[in-house]
Amino acid sequence: MSYGLENAEHPETLRRVAIDPVSRVEGHGKVTILLDEDDKVRQVRLHVVEFRGFERFIQGRPYWEVPVMVQRLCGICPVSHHLAASKAMDAIVGTRRLTPTAEKVRRLMHYGQMLQSHALHFFHLCSPDLLFGFSSDVARRNIVGVAAAHPETARRGVLLRRFGQEVIRVTAGKRIHGTGSIPGGVNKSVTREERDVLLADIYDILAWSRDAVALVKQLHGQDPALYNSFGVFRSSMLSLVSPGGDMDFYDGRLRARDEAGAILFDQVDYRDYHAHIREEVKPWSYMKFPFLAALGTDKGWYKVGPLARVQNCDQIPTPLADAERREFVDYSGGAPIHAPLAYHWARMIEMLHAAETIKDLLHDDDILGDDLVSTGERAREGIGVIEAPRGTLIHHYRVDDNDLVTMCNLIVSTTHNNQAMNEAIRHVAKRYLSGHKLTEGLLNHIEVAIRAFDPCLSCATHALGQMALEVTLVGADGGELDRLARHGDGTTSRPAP
Amino acid sequence: MSAPATFTLDGRAIAFAEGQTILQAAVAAGAYIPHLCFHPDFKPHGSCKVCTVTVGGRHAASCTTRATAGAVVESDTPAINAERRALVQMLFVEGNHFCPSCEKSGDCKLQATAYDLGMVSPHFDHFYPDRPVDASHPELLLDFNRCILCSLCVRASRDVDGKNAFALAWRGIRTRLIVNSRTGKLADTNVTAADKAAHVCPVGVILPKRRGFATPLGRRVFDLKPISAMADASAAVALAEAGEPRRDRQSDGRLP
């Protein structure tokens, strides 16, 4: 389904409003809205305005440098790129099967990242909207405001993230941008001392993760009409699942469901991703628009990430999270849930699953082992796919006989969600903005919809809370009609045009 | 038998043998003077000037200046370190030094020296030179982006390996490292990974292939102590290059 607000017929006659940059997301993007004379919304687009160039400048570099270099795409979930690239390089160095220590240390690293990234997103970036309201006082709609009004919630958010970062540190060597995963395995395992330190905290982390799921359910329960309808649209869903159909963030095979929940394809070897996923380029965005080849550009777009994963799998292989998954599925009587705000609920179920998995891995002595690397016959092409916090992440490389990269293709999670986010904000614009005089609170509704997807627009901008924002109304004749500025301290003003 | 002749380095008496330079005597005595193009196994080259000190108040490259009895040498002073920092900053901007994704990070004398001198930014405009890597050799990678023209590989290949495989070509700002083969490619030389030249690079130009990032963070040479705490960091770096296991490396960066 589509709200049809992608292309207005006569944009030159419309007023343009821009949200630039979108705040409390990872990276740099903007939203443009075109309004007619009656303030009716005619066109809405989410643009990603940054250009990174990683696919180009990794060419000509030695393959063993790739997992360390490409993770610099992002500071919030670098482990995803580190591991997806490592999986691709495993294929290059001919690793058919990682050693048990390598596989489990990588998994521990990845689930630690899931925990920290989901905690960061929910508590630091989104809880201000959900706890205070989308149009609440902008001065306190940030993590500092949450800390003042709900100190225990904010404290747990910070400590959950910290624990995930510590798991990453002992497996990757650093909290951010470590080097632990290398082609064919890992360069370190976990020491007993490191494990014992993590074990001392894991049961608190588990309890707080359960409470976080309860908090999201409570929010849904308080205003089901809002949570079930805000920005809603229907689409297919894509994720990895294990060979048995379980949720698996580190490895698996591709499964897609249509908007009614029926399986479109299942157990597809991700090395064949290009046979099932194509990308469309549109003139107004640097971000491509992927679609399922079998359904075509108009109907083939889909969503990825927690909402897709929790509904795509048959079960979650840890008991507490699976019980929460069943409750989530039952909430809609078994029909797929497409509401963007349900992403938060699914995300907290995943955080609980990550905490349970970390607990299990910490009790597994394989993570202490010394057998770190396995290699085999060299190959010239490698594809690594992983479920990053924000969704399915595809890394694809070709390496020449001199060990240098000749081709790199990255399809990152947020790219998969490109059309989905555009549809969500079109719905919100139509429902809440159309025909109204713009205010900061109304514009924040657009951002709330974008934030639900936890997009990683991936650049060096890691602003917390309110970023400076200026919205300009331009009339059909090109003249400036109105201007609204939001300042770094959260206050707004209306400077003279 | 008379006591050995000495000079003072920042007030500390350093004994020296006839013919030794100030830096050679300092390294032998375990005293640190920052340096990049000097290596105890080779004849001094005097090109990087990072080892500059004052001898009796006059500037001199300590690697090429003979030690003399009673000389008053000053090295660790704010003024001299500021000059060294500027030299190191210029080395950073003349090449392409991307420490975050460099496999030599943590084992690199340029990086360690920059940290030790308190360099917090490159300060100067980057040159961003275009220097393609030479990956033609089956065992070794040449990444010219990081070359600081120390000539240690030139000296090692000529004086130890007897192969004369490397040279510094051109002059002045155009000076660059070249490979002495008909094609200019390393694959067309008789260099092997066992050569001395393959293990003297203080930065990340000459690297063993398929080994990058095998050492975890926290166990790299300069993770253990700053370079100024190692009078002869070359030995520790060479051991790292040679692929010695470093799990049990001692606190001075040497293997037991």
Side-chain angles (χ1 to χ4, degrees):
Chain A
M1 65 187 289
S2 172
Y3 293 104
L5 292 173
E6 180 176 332
N7 294 299
E9 286 203 355
H10 293 286
E12 70 280 4
T13 65
L14 301 171
R15 283 184 298 142
R16 179 175 177 275
V17 177
I19 302 176
D20 183 12
V22 176
S23 71
R24 274 189 282 138
V25 298
E26 167 57 22
H28 204 120
K30 70 173 178 182
V31 173
T32 57
I33 305 167
L34 297 187
L35 302 163
D36 65 15
E37 290 171 349
D38 301 321
D39 291 328
K40 296 282 187 218
V41 173
R42 294 298 178 195
Q43 179 181 297
V44 184
R45 291 170 172 178
L46 167 64
H47 311 252
V48 176
V49 293
E50 55 184 280
F51 179 73
R52 306 298 307 283
F54 271 73
E55 291 172 334
R56 180 64 189 86
F57 64 67
I58 200 71
Q59 290 176 26
R61 299 305 309 171
Y63 72 78
W64 54 88
E65 207 173 79
V66 173
V68 173
M69 182 184 269
V70 294
Q71 65 177 336
R72 297 271 165 177
L73 272 162
C74 182
I76 286 194
C77 73
V79 169
S80 306
H81 294 289
H82 188 48
L83 291 179
S86 295
K87 288 176 72 175
M89 295 311 147
D90 292 345
I92 297 293
V93 300
T95 308
R96 299 180 76 94
R97 193 181 181 87
L98 290 172
T99 67
T101 296
E103 157 115 19
K104 287 171 187 174
V105 169
R106 281 193 190 176
R107 276 187 183 273
L108 185 57
M109 192 192 303
H110 190 43
Y111 282 73
Q113 160 180 252
M114 270 299 174
L115 184 86
Q116 71 84 10
S117 178
H118 280 0
L120 171 80
H121 179 260
F122 180 73
F123 290 98
H124 298 64
L125 303 183
C126 290
S127 72
D129 297 322
L130 305 179
L131 292 171
F132 299 139
F134 305 167
S135 300
S136 59
D137 175 13
V138 67
R140 72 164 187 165
R141 204 196 309 136
N142 52 54
I143 186 65
V144 178
V146 174
H150 306 276
E152 183 60 16
T153 301
R155 191 180 78 90
R156 288 179 179 188
V158 170
L159 291 178
L160 279 161
R161 174 154 199 263
R162 189 181 106 165
F163 180 83
Q165 296 284 67
E166 280 300 300
V167 171
I168 295 170
R169 187 182 63 78
V170 303
T171 49
K174 280 202 298 180
R175 289 177 188 85
I176 302 171
H177 300 141
T179 63
S181 183
I182 57 177
V186 293
N187 67 16
K188 74 187 291 285
S189 54
V190 179
T191 67
R192 281 181 193 280
E193 296 72 35
E194 288 166 339
R195 178 184 64 178
D196 291 346
V197 168
L198 294 175
L199 271 176
D201 288 336
I202 186 62
Y203 292 95
D204 278 346
I205 297 299
L206 265 174
W208 296 344
S209 299
R210 295 183 79 173
D211 291 347
V213 183
L215 173 60
V216 180
K217 284 194 288 192
Q218 184 191 340
L219 290 167
H220 273 254
Q222 283 168 358
D223 197 347
L226 173 70
Y227 275 78
N228 294 341
S229 70
F230 185 80
V232 73
F233 62 92
R234 295 167 66 85
S235 77
S236 306
M237 295 182 259
L238 175 82
S239 73
L240 292 176
V241 295
S242 77
D246 288 1
M247 173 179 278
D248 193 327
F249 299 146
Y250 176 73
D251 197 25
R253 289 162 170 263
L254 291 168
R255 173 186 281 181
R257 290 183 190 272
D258 68 14
E259 61 181 54
I263 299 259
L264 286 168
F265 56 75
D266 196 8
Q267 297 300 323
V268 167
D269 186 334
Y270 62 61
R271 290 174 293 184
D272 297 327
Y273 79 90
H274 44 276
H276 298 272
I277 298 167
R278 302 274 165 75
E279 292 178 289
E280 183 188 11
V281 176
K282 298 192 182 187
W284 52 269
S285 179
Y286 283 132
M287 189 154 67
K288 292 177 184 173
F289 289 80
F291 59 96
L292 300 176
L295 298 181
T297 53
D298 288 345
K299 294 183 174 172
W301 54 274
Y302 51 91
K303 50 184 171 266
V304 298
L307 190 59
R309 288 190 291 246
V310 165
Q311 302 189 91
N312 227 359
C313 68
D314 301 325
Q315 59 184 345
I316 297 177
T318 53
L320 299 175
D322 196 53
E324 295 293 348
R325 182 194 65 85
R326 285 198 299 273
E327 191 175 327
F328 181 86
V329 170
D330 291 344
Y331 179 76
S332 65
I337 297 175
H338 292 291
L341 291 179
Y343 260 101
H344 298 297
W345 186 354
R347 193 171 286 116
M348 291 301 95
I349 294 173
E350 288 193 342
M351 187 169 80
L352 176 58
H353 172 50
E356 288 183 281
T357 306
I358 291 167
K359 180 204 71 175
D360 292 345
L361 285 166
L362 290 175
H363 284 290
D364 188 331
D365 282 352
D366 279 345
I367 64 167
L368 309 174
D370 286 328
D371 193 6
L372 304 182
V373 175
S374 63
T375 56
E377 192 181 339
R378 265 292 296 275
R380 303 185 63 158
E381 188 158 9
I383 297 172
V385 179
I386 201 163
E387 282 296 330
R390 290 146 188 84
T392 312
L393 171 65
I394 300 172
H395 278 221
H396 183 179
Y397 303 90
R398 278 198 277 275
V399 176
D400 69 15
D401 291 338
N402 287 334
D403 301 319
L404 300 183
V405 174
T406 57
M407 188 285 291
C408 168
N409 186 33
L410 310 175
I411 306 181
V412 304
S413 320
T414 298
T415 307
H416 295 289
N417 275 337
N418 194 357
Q419 183 70 12
M421 289 187 291
N422 271 287
E423 289 302 324
I425 62 173
R426 281 166 199 156
H427 180 247
V428 169
K430 208 169 187 172
R431 164 78 178 73
Y432 294 93
L433 271 64
S434 211
H436 295 279
K437 188 171 178 62
L438 293 177
T439 63
E440 191 280 336
L442 277 180
L443 290 177
N444 189 49
H445 281 62
I446 296 273
E447 296 186 79
V448 167
I450 296 170
R451 283 180 205 125
F453 292 85
D454 188 11
C456 180
L457 309 176
S458 152
C459 74
T461 313
H462 300 274
L464 271 175
Q466 300 300 332
M467 291 162 62
L469 172 80
E470 187 160 297
V471 176
T472 310
L473 283 182
V474 181
D477 60 355
E480 195 174 299
L481 298 177
D482 196 0
R483 182 184 285 217
L484 185 65
R486 186 171 71 191
H487 308 289
D489 60 3
T491 59
T492 56
S493 64
R494 203 174 287 273
Chain B
M1 186 173 158
S2 60
T6 62
F7 63 90
T8 62
L9 175 63
D10 296 328
R12 173 184 165 186
I14 304 286
F16 66 94
E18 183 63 29
Q20 273 188 318
T21 66
I22 291 169
L23 184 54
Q24 285 169 332
V27 167
Y32 176 72
I33 298 174
H35 59 268
L36 290 172
C37 73
F38 171 81
H39 189 294
D41 294 351
F42 299 99
K43 195 179 160 195
H45 188 247
S47 63
C48 77
K49 307 297 181 195
V50 170
C51 72
T52 295
V53 293
T54 58
V55 184
R58 295 175 63 122
H59 282 75
S62 64
C63 69
T64 54
T65 303
R66 288 278 166 92
T68 52
V72 178
V73 179
E74 295 217 306
S75 171
D76 190 13
T77 71
I80 297 175
N81 283 333
E83 290 168 344
R84 290 173 176 147
R85 193 158 53 239
L87 288 171
V88 170
Q89 285 170 321
M90 286 189 265
L91 289 174
F92 268 92
V93 301
E94 283 172 18
N96 297 310
H97 297 275
F98 304 124
C99 298
S101 60
C102 178
E103 62 189 275
K104 190 77 171 188
S105 185
D107 292 329
C108 172
K109 285 184 71 175
L110 178 66
Q111 183 193 48
T113 303
Y115 274 131
D116 203 61
L117 290 170
M119 175 180 145
V120 293
S121 79
H123 181 78
F124 303 105
D125 287 344
H126 282 276
F127 285 24
Y128 295 122
D130 183 16
R131 299 183 188 167
V133 303
D134 178 353
S136 60
H137 194 281
E139 298 171 328
L140 297 168
L141 175 75
L142 290 184
D143 190 339
F144 297 106
N145 288 293
R146 302 159 184 160
C147 187
I148 58 169
L149 305 173
C150 70
S151 92
L152 279 169
C153 59
V154 178
R155 287 176 274 168
S157 186
R158 182 189 64 212
D159 302 341
V160 179
D161 304 327
K163 296 182 178 177
N164 213 19
F166 298 100
L168 295 183
W170 298 73
R171 289 292 178 270
I173 196 65
R174 293 190 182 82
T175 308
R176 63 177 193 256
L177 180 65
I178 60 165
V179 174
N180 183 17
S181 73
R182 190 178 51 79
T183 59
K185 293 290 185 187
L186 193 64
D188 295 318
T189 66
N190 56 352
V191 169
T192 74
D195 287 359
K196 181 75 171 174
H199 302 284
V200 292
C201 183
V203 291
V205 178
I206 308 178
L207 295 161
K209 276 189 165 182
R210 300 176 286 279
R211 279 263 315 282
F213 303 103
T215 306
L217 302 179
R219 295 190 206 142
R220 303 171 305 180
V221 172
F222 299 113
D223 287 338
L224 300 167
K225 6 167 106 172
I227 192 168
S228 55
M230 292 182 225
D232 181 11
S234 305
V237 173
L239 285 173
E241 272 296 306
E244 298 286 336
R246 268 164 294 155
R247 185 174 280 270
D248 304 316
R249 185 175 291 281
Q250 293 175 339
S251 58
D252 63 357
R254 293 171 186 275
L255 286 169

